[in-house]
Amino acid sequence: MAGRAAQSPSESRQQSGQDLRDHEGRDGPLEEYYRIPENYEYRRHRSLIEENLYKENLNEKKLNEKNLTEKNEYYKPVARMRLINNMSTIAEYPSSERRSNRVVKIAVIGGSGVGKTALVVRFLTKRFIGDYERNAGNLYSREVQLDGEQVAIQVQDTPGVELNVNGLSYTDHVTSSIQWADAVVMVYSVTDHRSFDLIGQLHRLVSCNHADRSTLPPIILLANKADLLHVRRVDVQQGPLLASALGCSFYEVSASEDSQVHGAFHRLCRELAEHRPSCVLSPHPAATAGPEKRRSPLIPRPKSPNMQDLKRRFKQVLSAKVRTVTSV
Ligand SMILES: Nc1nc2c(ncn2[C@@H]2O[C@H](COP(=O)(O)OP(=O)(O)OP(=O)(O)O)[C@@H](O)[C@H]2O)c(=O)[nH]1
């Protein structure tokens, strides 16, 4: 472990940490924990608007109530969406009471758009993100039970690597993630032969950049998007053949259908435990560091799309009142 970067590549970029509690893919704790409370300002606006509109026009009040209902409904899905969208700002170490002593660091590398982020999010939250947004490299964290031990798994998502005429094209983030990691997940998409073609070179990149150059870290190869049979471009046999040539485990997975994703990540953690049984896992920083800085427990409240409208209407109501007072 000597010589490894103590901090994750994303650590310095994390502006506002948020806790990721044990959500195990269940809606309950997730909603409960990430629910965004109505704030005072909003409640004040709402009551004033309701009161005045009721006096002014019943139909308009109905319309306003509809808006407010939509607004309240708006919070829940947005809160959940932001869990996904803001995972890069989630604290590396959950402030769970069940604090783990150990940390497993995994880097996920592969071509662009192969589904790295979708796989990480699927593994950590059991949810699928259908939207594509090119990522610049985010760190995700979750606590799990691994062979009876509470372990913090940190997964470093990395920007997509490209293959061009000069060879591999990648950012420093990719190499620093490999240096930081205890284990590596290489991903290609079965729908994109180019992403498969660069796996051999990615493997070389890992062997050149891993902190402990004498031995390779545990590596698994994932063939993602297995659900997209109709646009398949990489034969079923090619993946296992390449994996055995490179000496790594192979899984054909689908982040979209949650096929094999969890099993693959768990297998990697087990391999890691077998690989270095005594010093396999980095000690959890909290176990060695002083008291942890307190982090804000909630995700920043999203801006309401109706707030501008509410403010405008609020002003209208007030100016109407002023007019009434002046005319009296
Ligand atoms: N059908 C299907 N779509 C998937 C699967 N995994 C990912 N996708 C979709 O593929 C697109 C790219 O997924 P991402 O997870 O953003 O890919 P990425 O590798 O992180 O991409 P970069 O940020 O460019 O490196 C998204 O639209 C995902 O919804 C899968 O297993 N099946």
Side-chain angles (χ1 to χ4, degrees), residues 111-118 128-135 157-160 224-228 254-256:
S112 279
V114 296
K116 296 182 296 299
T117 308
F128 175 62
I129 42 167
D131 294 340
Y132 176 59
E133 200 176 300
R134 191 177 281 265
N135 84 81
D157 191 8
T158 59
N224 190 33
K225 307 198 186 181
D227 55 296
L228 297 177
S254 166
S256 140

Side-chain angles (χ1 to χ4, degrees), residues 25-231:
R26 294 185 300 263
D27 281 350
L30 191 78
E31 267 186 61
E32 201 176 296
Y33 191 61
Y34 290 100
R35 186 179 300 135
I36 294 163
E38 287 182 1
N39 69 7
Y40 172 72
E41 187 191 36
Y42 166 60
R43 279 204 303 276
R44 198 163 58 89
H45 280 232
R46 182 170 70 174
S47 59
L48 275 166
I49 288 167
E50 278 182 339
E51 186 188 326
N52 287 294
L53 288 179
Y54 181 77
K55 287 175 194 159
E56 281 176 30
N57 185 319
L58 192 59
N59 284 337
E60 192 149 8
K61 177 177 180 287
K62 277 180 186 163
L63 178 71
N64 189 50
E65 277 176 345
K66 183 169 169 286
N67 284 342
L68 289 165
T69 309
E70 280 168 7
K71 180 179 173 63
N72 286 336
E73 284 305 308
Y74 169 81
Y75 276 113
K76 285 179 192 168
V78 165
R80 262 196 244 173
M81 288 272 293
R82 286 178 70 85
L83 169 68
I84 304 297
N85 292 337
N86 277 296
M87 285 197 75
S88 59
T89 64
I90 287 169
E92 264 190 60
Y93 309 109
S95 65
S96 158
E97 280 146 29
R98 292 178 301 142
R99 169 73 74 185
S100 60
N101 296 322
R102 300 288 184 185
V103 182
V104 176
K105 298 171 181 173
I106 300 172
V108 181
I109 58 176
S112 279
V114 296
K116 296 182 296 299
T117 308
L119 284 167
V120 174
V121 171
R122 172 59 88 182
F123 169 55
L124 296 174
T125 70
K126 297 190 179 159
R127 287 174 167 75
F128 175 62
I129 42 167
D131 294 340
Y132 176 59
E133 200 176 300
R134 191 177 281 265
N135 84 81
N138 296 322
L139 182 73
Y140 303 82
S141 174
R142 181 187 165 180
E143 302 234 340
V144 295
Q145 284 279 334
L146 192 64
D147 295 333
E149 190 183 11
Q150 187 75 11
V151 171
I153 295 191
Q154 293 179 13
V155 188
Q156 183 70 57
D157 191 8
T158 59
V161 171
E162 306 283 347
L163 189 58
N164 56 35
V165 282
N166 301 319
L168 281 190
S169 159
Y170 50 87
T171 62
D172 288 346
H173 192 283
V174 177
T175 43
S176 57
S177 298
I178 293 169
Q179 284 159 6
W180 163 87
D182 298 318
V184 176
V185 177
M186 297 192 299
V187 187
Y188 70 87
S189 164
V190 300
T191 65
D192 174 6
H193 211 288
R194 286 172 62 83
S195 71
F196 175 77
D197 293 338
L198 57 78
I199 292 295
Q201 294 192 49
L202 269 186
H203 191 266
R204 274 197 289 285
L205 193 68
V206 174
S207 50
C208 295
N209 284 283
H210 189 244
D212 181 359
R213 295 199 185 182
S214 56
T215 56
L216 270 177
I219 304 173
I220 55 170
L221 178 60
L222 302 186
N224 190 33
K225 307 198 186 181
D227 55 296
L228 297 177
L229 297 173
H230 54 295
V231 281

